Amino acid sequence: MSNSYTTLWTNDLCRELGRSGYAGRRLTMLFGGPHQSLPSFHRAGVRPGDRIYPVRALATRLHVLGAMEVSRIIPYEDAGSVLHDDDYAKLLEWRPLKTGCVTEVVTGPPGSALTFGTTVPPDLLERLTYTSRRGERTLKYVDEGRLIRSVSLQGIYRLTSASAAELHRLVLDGSVSARRQGRS
């Protein structure tokens, strides 16, 4: 059975991606590392078949930026010899995601388009639930549907299946809305 995870992207990264024209590009690659600013997908338990949802915390709101299914996780040092030419080109294309000390590359088939306008509704934000070996938890620092602090999102965390389904619907709705408005 596959799992779904969120990973928090910084506002600086999101601004850079927006300025550089990445909005509308389909996610095909992510990067992980040993630090909190670029956490390890492998250490978080991510496996092929799992889905990753990059998220952003901005102005008391949580934005879901897209989704990508994981095909494989490879050591960054092996990327040049392991990736096919097309995938290696994608590695170069998604270079802005490569912040800090990169130790792993997550590849996948084209996921959803990267968007910056899909906001998690306040009611979903209050009930968004994560799961681990220790049990389930909702986000900390949520008050009346507003995200006061993003500390409980920093890292890579596994969603419950119900929360993953709701985020997936948001991503699908956001992609449809962007296509209707000509922003695919």
Side-chain angles (χ1 to χ4, degrees), residues 58-71:
L58 179 67
T60 72
R61 300 286 178 230
L62 181 65
H63 300 263
V64 61
L65 307 173
M68 187 185 102
E69 183 180 321
V70 176
S71 289

Side-chain angles (χ1 to χ4, degrees), residues 27-50:
L27 293 167
T28 56
M29 193 156 294
L30 300 170
F31 298 92
H35 304 298
Q36 186 175 5
S37 60
L38 190 67
S40 170
F41 290 92
H42 179 72
R43 195 170 49 229
V46 175
R47 305 269 184 261
D50 290 345

Side-chain angles (χ1 to χ4, degrees), residues 94-150:
W94 287 100
R95 181 180 12 235
L97 296 179
K98 234 175 53 175
T99 59
C101 300
V102 174
T103 59
E104 59 194 32
V105 178
V106 178
T107 64
S112 70
L114 180 63
T115 63
F116 298 102
T118 305
T119 304
V120 175
D123 62 316
L124 175 54
L125 184 64
E126 288 184 352
R127 67 176 187 279
L128 197 64
T129 307
Y130 292 88
T131 186
S132 70
R133 283 181 245 122
R134 290 183 267 161
E136 293 185 357
R137 69 167 176 90
T138 55
L139 288 175
K140 293 179 182 178
Y141 309 110
V142 174
D143 183 35
E144 296 180 4
R146 297 178 347 204
L147 184 63
I148 306 305
R149 294 178 56 200
S150 63

